[in-house]
Amino acid sequence: MNLQKFNNVVRGVTQAMQHGRIGFSLQQINAIDDSSEVLYSECLGRLVEPDGTIRTSGEFIAFLEASGRAPAFDRHVIDLAFDWLACHPTGALGCNISVENIADKESWALLYDLLSQHSAMAPRLVLEITESLPVATLSAAADLLQNVRKLGYKVAIDDFGTGYSTPETLLAIPADIVKIDGFFVQRRGHEMERFLWHMVGLASCAASTVIVEGIETYAQFEAAKAAGATHVQGFLLSEPSLPPVHCGQVNSALHAFAPKWMM
């Protein structure tokens, strides 16, 4: 990784948070039996450069994870989500939560404090646990997430079937929703359909709501339906805008980057 690029990206995100240039677009999660029924909409992070260029979270989130700053970004987006929910009393959102928020005690305390402050909106926010890094202690993570569920929030395991999201994680972490990674619908064929069927079956053992991600064609939609999924997410039914639909500045120490050594 280029050192100068690394520092520039992290610094750029820091400044964007401070100046209200971080926001999100929305992608709906639709019921498979009635595609007009929306379970909730996932917040997809966006960064607006000073010149107006839009960056998706995929362009910078890995840099934040490598620098240990992903938890602060997560809290920033969640606070923006609460602001959106306050203005849309019938809406429901989902926000990504990196495992660093769980693994680090200080990050967890800040996140839990933020969630506690807005617990009145808990039934309308899903916390999607993204496992780009392994969860060190599953039992400890399970206890922490159970406390969040007691506040009324729903917990989803994101990108199940790839990376560090394993059957062990699925059975150890209390979850209301499991999201099957889009990898399992990217290619057609009997083998892929068989894998998807098994993945959905395993996920349904842990949660009553199973979402298949990455649905871009009607064939993929039908494959997810045949596998027994309850919901789908993807460009076929909901294409998010590149510009953020909600953007702003949050004035709270909860979202400040903790002092860390810059590489």
Side-chain angles (χ1 to χ4, degrees):
M1 182 181 295
N2 181 280
L3 182 60
Q4 183 175 358
K5 180 179 180 181
F6 179 92
N7 285 333
N8 287 342
V9 171
V10 174
R11 187 177 297 110
V13 177
T14 304
Q15 293 173 349
M17 289 173 61
Q18 293 170 344
H19 299 149
R21 291 187 284 103
I22 294 293
F24 56 78
S25 292
L26 297 175
Q27 186 172 51
Q28 296 175 349
I29 287 85
N30 302 85
I32 211 159
D33 291 331
D34 181 1
S35 59
S36 65
E37 179 184 328
V38 178
L39 182 64
Y40 66 91
S41 297
E42 181 180 354
C43 297
L44 304 177
R46 298 286 190 262
L47 183 154
V48 182
E49 298 281 13
D51 65 359
T53 301
I54 309 294
R55 307 288 184 194
T56 66
S57 58
E59 297 179 69
F60 57 81
I61 196 66
F63 295 89
L64 298 183
E65 291 172 342
S67 67
R69 291 163 167 80
F73 179 80
D74 291 345
R75 293 191 299 271
H76 188 94
V77 173
I78 289 173
D79 209 1
L80 290 175
F82 283 131
D83 184 53
W84 186 94
L85 289 170
C87 298
H88 300 79
T90 62
L93 298 178
C95 289
N96 289 337
I97 300 294
S98 58
V99 295
E100 294 95 327
N101 277 292
I102 302 171
D104 181 75
K105 290 183 178 179
E106 181 181 356
S107 294
W108 175 258
L110 291 170
L111 174 61
Y112 189 80
D113 187 32
L114 175 62
L115 296 174
S116 297
Q117 289 178 27
H118 298 279
S119 59
M121 289 184 275
R124 298 194 289 132
L125 183 66
V126 177
L127 304 176
E128 299 192 1
I129 310 303
T130 60
E131 293 192 80
S132 54
L133 297 173
V135 177
T137 308
L138 287 175
S139 59
D143 290 341
L144 295 175
L145 291 173
Q146 190 61 38
N147 290 335
V148 164
R149 293 175 82 204
K150 289 178 181 177
L151 291 176
Y153 295 95
K154 288 184 174 62
V155 171
I157 295 177
D158 199 12
D159 301 327
F160 179 63
T162 61
Y164 294 100
S165 188
T166 66
E168 181 185 12
T169 303
L170 179 68
L171 298 176
I173 290 181
D176 305 283
I177 299 166
V178 178
K179 302 181 73 176
I180 307 294
D181 190 86
F183 165 79
F184 295 96
V185 294
Q186 287 176 356
R187 290 178 292 174
R188 292 286 293 169
H190 177 70
E191 284 297 305
M192 187 59 67
E193 290 178 358
R194 184 169 63 87
F195 269 109
L196 180 61
W197 186 85
H198 284 297
M199 293 300 295
V200 172
L202 181 58
S204 64
C205 293
S208 58
T209 300
V210 179
I211 302 166
V212 177
E213 302 176 288
I215 301 298
E216 298 181 354
T217 68
Y218 285 106
Q220 293 171 346
F221 180 93
E222 290 301 324
K225 186 174 184 178
T230 61
H231 295 77
V232 293
Q233 178 179 359
F235 282 14
L236 176 66
L237 298 179
S238 178
E239 185 168 354
S241 62
L242 181 59
V245 299
H246 189 71
C247 198
Q249 187 172 1
V250 289
N251 298 309
S252 172
L254 290 172
H255 318 296
F257 285 142
K260 290 181 181 290
W261 176 66
M262 289 291 287
M263 299 178 66

